[in-house]
Amino acid sequence: MTWESVASETTREPLQIVEVDLDYVANGPATMASGALGYKTPATTDDAGTTGLEVTTKTRRWMSRHARPTASLAAIPCVQSVSISAEEIRIARGLGFFGQATVSLVDFVDDDRNEDPFYSDASRSGVDHSAGTYFGKLVARTKYWTGRPIRIIEGWIENGTYNAANSITRNYLVRDIQGPVNGRFTVTCAGPLQLLNLDQKQTPAPSRAKLLVDLPADTTVLYFTQVDDPDGMLPGSGDPDMYARIGDEIIKLSLSMGAWTITREQYSTLADDHSEGDTIQPCLAYTDEPIADILEDLLKTQAGIAASYLDLTGWADEADKWLRLYNLNAIISEPTKAMDLVQELLEISACLLWWDDESGKVKLKALRPALSTVATLNEAQHITSAVTTSRKMEDRVSSLDVMMVLINGAADVSETKSYRVRVVGDSVGHGTYEHKTAKIQQIATRWLDRTQTALAVRASFQTATQLQDGRVTYTFEGAAKDATLSLGDVIAIESRDLIDTEGEVVTQKAMIVKRDIVAMGSKYRYTAERFVYTGRFAYVTDDDVPAYADATESQRDPGWFLSDTDGTLPNGDPPYLLG
């Protein structure tokens, strides 16, 4: 059976399972050299003089407190509640609102039989195993939880049996823990993007390197000191493309004969006299780099998000189809929040980035045409509530201007005067019989050069077109069988609550931007934003797709086929419209 089929059964019992992977020393000793007892966790393993320690992880599993125990699950029934604040994406805004989950667990007296790996060892002969509580001892022995993988699983016990295949798993990382206090232990968890945003990690990292001597404007040899700098704040030898900033000048560095040789006046900056003690700030430079590669570098290399959390294959596919023109150039000469740089890229490319908790991946999607084979949700089969329409006029945009082409690589990116070009967006939605007043917004980008004005026009047009009437969203509830719909999916909504000027039901195309749990295992609330795309495009079929008459429906759509001379396709279908 599948998750959807079990969801429709009346004999099922909803079940929530929480799993967390905590650090574990596989070969940790029972007793340390100091005489302290070891529990195979880093906090209780004295590795002084000990070599070959194997640090891995051990999974703790807890389940709904009132669910019937099932031997096949091997979980402790102590989950009091799980509260999930869903991730929300915002079309034409890049990053949305980060989701998170809070798990409340009931603490209890525990004899340590299953937690102490040396429970029966002679070293425990004087230990009172009845002392302390389960979570009290777990936290004392495992102090570091932040960033550890945690999974929240929605499933069922069906006829007394739990089947993991009939469940949905939501993946997070531990944000923090509280307690135990008054018999409760609380774990808050989130996706890696939220943790990165909270951490406010900067790239390039702030430098502690200083000039050892004065550096006159005509000098090309650099002497500096790196104070307490184990990570290497300046570039390694032999890298021909490393840059640094001193004051308002950017220089290029190369190592020769043990000394740093520099090229002055890089990125349109001017040579200047610099003084002993001035900071040498390494820069982060990108030259003709694909946008997906830049995002990967920012999140993985610069910010430290594990590659396993990034949907790199999906990113590459999305970029290959829709973002081929986005080969970008930029130099970041001042420490900047990594998430701010990501937001800049998303704004100028009209892309969305979010944490998909079910796949456990950061997803990337371009604002692009929705293909005609989208799922249709209607009141007869899918929608179980009224469809309510919400309009946020504060998000209205009638024109978006783009500031681009920095005057030099050391200019203040937040200042309008730092840019050479201003692309004025077309005005939409504020004529005499429309919204009357204009609402103009502006973004500034360091990522586009003079040859990429068309990309600025595209970002301006797509944002204003999407938001000319504000942010229009539709909220409705649906049964669990439709819970496989994911963020970013474009759907068609058919409802008597959505009508045209003549009172007839219309089909509204929208993108799912949020999914909330109303009742675990039975009901979900969806928020879908009206999806507008009016750009021109043509999608050419792959080489192995047969002629139209022999192609399957999935091969035909998306596809581009030549019509016969009478204007119809070989089987008589009307021709495809290229918008």
Side-chain angles (χ1 to χ4, degrees), residues 410-471:
D412 185 347
V413 297
S414 65
E415 294 283 344
T416 301
K417 64 183 180 182
S418 297
Y419 296 89
R420 299 182 186 275
V421 176
R422 178 172 184 160
V423 176
V424 179
D426 290 338
S427 296
V428 292
H430 66 91
T432 302
Y433 301 106
E434 297 174 301
H435 295 295
K436 294 186 181 297
T437 59
K439 188 173 182 181
I440 301 172
Q441 290 194 5
Q442 177 180 295
I443 61 172
T445 180
R446 71 184 90 201
W447 297 95
L448 299 183
D449 60 35
R450 290 183 181 275
T451 68
Q452 296 173 309
T453 305
L455 298 183
V457 172
R458 175 182 181 270
S460 173
F461 177 76
Q462 294 299 343
T463 299
T465 301
Q466 177 68 34
L467 298 177
Q468 62 178 301
D469 295 320
R471 193 171 297 279

Side-chain angles (χ1 to χ4, degrees), residues 517-553:
I517 300 173
V518 177
M520 198 283 291
S522 61
K523 188 182 295 185
Y524 292 81
R525 180 181 300 111
Y526 296 92
T527 302
E529 183 171 343
R530 185 182 62 183
F531 185 75
V532 180
Y533 189 93
T534 57
R536 294 185 177 184
F537 68 96
Y539 196 109
V540 180
T541 58
D542 293 331
D543 292 338
D544 59 352
V545 172
Y548 182 85
D550 300 322
T552 64
E553 183 178 351

Side-chain angles (χ1 to χ4, degrees), residues 10 30 42 237 262 270 274 279 328 375 429 529:
T10 59
S237 61
I262 60 176
L270 299 177
H274 305 292
T279 297
L328 306 177
E529 183 171 343

Side-chain angles (χ1 to χ4, degrees), residues 344-355:
E344 289 177 17
L345 286 166
L346 298 176
E347 282 184 336
I348 200 58
S349 60
C351 285
L352 301 168
L353 192 79
W354 73 94
W355 172 248

Side-chain angles (χ1 to χ4, degrees), residues 334-349:
E334 287 285 344
T336 305
K337 284 181 58 177
M339 289 301 287
D340 287 348
L341 295 172
V342 169
Q343 176 65 14
E344 289 177 17
L345 286 166
L346 298 176
E347 282 184 336
I348 200 58
S349 60

